[in-house]
Amino acid sequence: MNLEKAKVLDNQKILPNYWQLDLYAPKAASLAQAGQFIMLQTTPYAEPFLKRPMSLNRINPEEGTLRIIYQIVGKGTQILTTIPAGGEMDIIGPQGNGWMIQKDYRKALLVGGGAGIAPLLQLAINLAEKEIKLDILLGAADRDAIFNHQEFLQMASVSVATMDGSRGHKGFVTDLLPQTPDYDMIYTCGPNPLMEKVALWAGQKGQACQVSLEERMGCGIGTCMGCVCKIKSKDGSIAYKRVCKDGPVFDGEEVVFNG
Amino acid sequence: MADLSVCVAGVDLKNPVLTASGTFGYGREFAELYDLSLLGGIVVKGTTLEPRLGNETPRIAETPCGLLNSVGLQNPGVEKVIAEEIPFLRQFDTAVIINIAGHCLEDYGKIASRLDKVEGIAALEVNISCPNVKSGGMAFGTDPKVAAGITACVRQNCSLPIIIKLSPNVTNIVEIALAVEEAGADAISLINTLLGMAIDIEKKKPILANTVGGLSGPAVKPVALRMVWQIAKAVHVPIVGLGGILTASDALEFIMAGASAIQIGSANFFNPMAGPQIVEGIHEWLDQHGVKDIKEIIGAVNQ
Ligand SMILES: Cc1cc2nc3c(=O)[nH]c(=O)nc-3n(C[C@H](O)[C@H](O)[C@H](O)COP(=O)(O)OP(=O)(O)OC[C@H]3O[C@@H](n4cnc5c(N)ncnc54)[C@H](O)[C@@H]3O)c2cc1C
Ligand SMILES: Cc1cc2nc3c(=O)[nH]c(=O)nc-3n(C[C@H](O)[C@H](O)[C@H](O)COP(=O)(O)O)c2cc1C
């Protein structure tokens, strides 16, 4: 496990409710894999008490940097916006398992919703480097919550859905799921209902699928059993697994949503 | 350097800093960060006879200066703890304390007798106060007679030193402390979490799936400290104080209130290095104040 004092290189608003945070954290950057996250301490004081889990949007081991894209949700993320370039923050990470990629994949689908788009960019970059063909579906409430669109366009065909129709298809991003998919792997991150739909659809179509789950975390390092999710094993038995340590990425087929 | 060694429940501890049950797992994650032998002791996650699945999620709700949890004693059961976790912890030069919990009196007796023969255990900490188990849990810790009954039952079923961990969710903590002392407790630890609640006003629903949960962290420290001080004046057995300790000065407050040792709980989430840093901080404070032996300041609060 890596504890590090990260230096803030840049912290700026990119959309009305989203900020982009660039950190210099050479040790974490050298260890990190796409799909992993860090625990980020928003203040050196005890309020707010818990660290915030944030996915890695970009990993640059050569320069020792990590990029986070965060949505302003409450107290912790509001405090984050006040930390200027040059500031420091304690981080733990990288944590968790990250996305699984196999060498022989030829074609993959990425489905992201809201803040769940964040961990898909580094994944897309890694897949594109391996010359895996990509289709990408992005969804959000409105166009002000779609980020990284340009970056994705450089690597793949991208379709967008917004609930208010301000960009792309009007409705759920899952409306855009194809009838006859032929992917080696489907990757998804976003609100639970989105991932549940994608996992169900993938299962029906006989496609393999990885989901990156979110849960409220206590320690973020695997000790407290706070952030568990329900996982069904092959024999049908149910166990609670830790999102922070056994995940956040799970096989879509194993996850019991709504539980 | 000052002498930090203390004796609790007949167990010699190299220093008074232990880690609290449920906040340190079985030490594996923290062993990646520092040498666990720096700690006076480790109290493992609450262990039950059979594996326990635990509660539904969300299990965590952050609250001002702390958190609510309703983990519900998720653990792999005593056999797995004996087979896999205790051998790991035995490698370290630190006191290994197994925290036990049960559904009923019989469970406590069975688990105590099962652990009695296991090598490498310094003591048992008996959780009679977990608020998360629907079938009894806290009720054990809130009635002096029942608390004494469990203490006596564990006492009869094992020869290990026993530390009874008390619930703060009572009107008279002294009464419970006296009852478990009388029934054979070798030491008393307190506090477990305070029963609490948080609501999501948009959904008009409790945040925790379990509706209520246990409050811990700096928010509970004044309550914990008051309770340690109250029972220190009433009982003769050593006291292990915990609840909201974040720094060495917090730890020293508990020691001055009458605790012979302390435990670090939620602080492990805020600062994973809290354990060794608090040991170091206590050393520094004692040296700066010319105190040669920590035992000189146990219960030293002036009134
Ligand atoms: C593995 C993982 C990766 C994540 N990656 C990102 C990311 O890249 N970008 C991003 O914007 N958000 C991400 N999130 C969600 C993010 O952690 C929360 O939005 C954030 O913690 C909210 O903090 P707050 O203080 O602003 O909100 P508050 O509502 O004040 O938070 C109160 C408590 O609830 C927790 N909490 C609130 N919302 C969530 C949530 N949706 N999931 C988990 N815990 C929550 C907080 O951590 C805190 O403990 C991720 C969550 C997880 C579990
Ligand atoms: C996530 C979590 C899990 C806990 N699990 C247990 C447990 O299994 N058994 C127990 O006796 N106490 C358990 N506790 C209580 C702590 O050991 C401690 O008594 C309490 O948190 C107060 O101390 P603190 O404020 O330093 O955390 C748990 C606390 C937390 C936060």
Side-chain angles (χ1 to χ4, degrees), chain B residues 151-235:
Chain B
T151 308
C153 173
V154 173
R155 176 74 300 152
Q156 278 158 20
N157 280 282
C158 79
S159 53
L160 287 164
I162 55 180
I163 305 168
I164 303 292
K165 183 168 180 180
L166 303 187
S167 167
N169 303 306
V170 297
T171 28
N172 188 345
I173 192 81
V174 173
E175 192 185 27
I176 312 264
L178 288 170
V180 302
E181 177 179 48
E182 168 80 30
D186 299 301
I188 293 171
S189 60
L190 77 165
I191 59 171
N192 207 315
T193 53
L194 275 156
L195 201 58
M197 185 172 177
I199 292 174
D200 179 334
I201 57 170
E202 299 307 324
K203 296 186 184 151
K204 298 198 185 78
K205 273 176 68 178
I207 293 184
L208 297 174
N210 194 49
T211 306
V212 297
L215 180 65
S216 65
V220 308
K221 199 192 92 181
V223 177
L225 192 63
R226 180 266 295 176
M227 288 187 161
V228 165
W229 171 77
Q230 275 183 312
I231 74 159
K233 295 189 299 180
V235 301

Side-chain angles (χ1 to χ4, degrees), chain A residues 18 37 50-56 68-78 115 118-119 213-217 243 248, chain B residues 62:
Chain A
Y18 281 87
F37 67 96
L50 298 172
K51 295 183 171 63
R52 268 45 180 168
M54 290 290 166
S55 307
L56 302 175
I68 307 293
I69 293 185
Y70 62 98
Q71 183 183 11
I72 315 297
V73 173
K75 194 161 39 182
T77 45
Q78 243 141 30
L213 299 181
E214 256 189 29
E215 250 310 327
R216 286 170 183 260
M217 289 185 177
V243 170
Chain B
E62 193 186 45

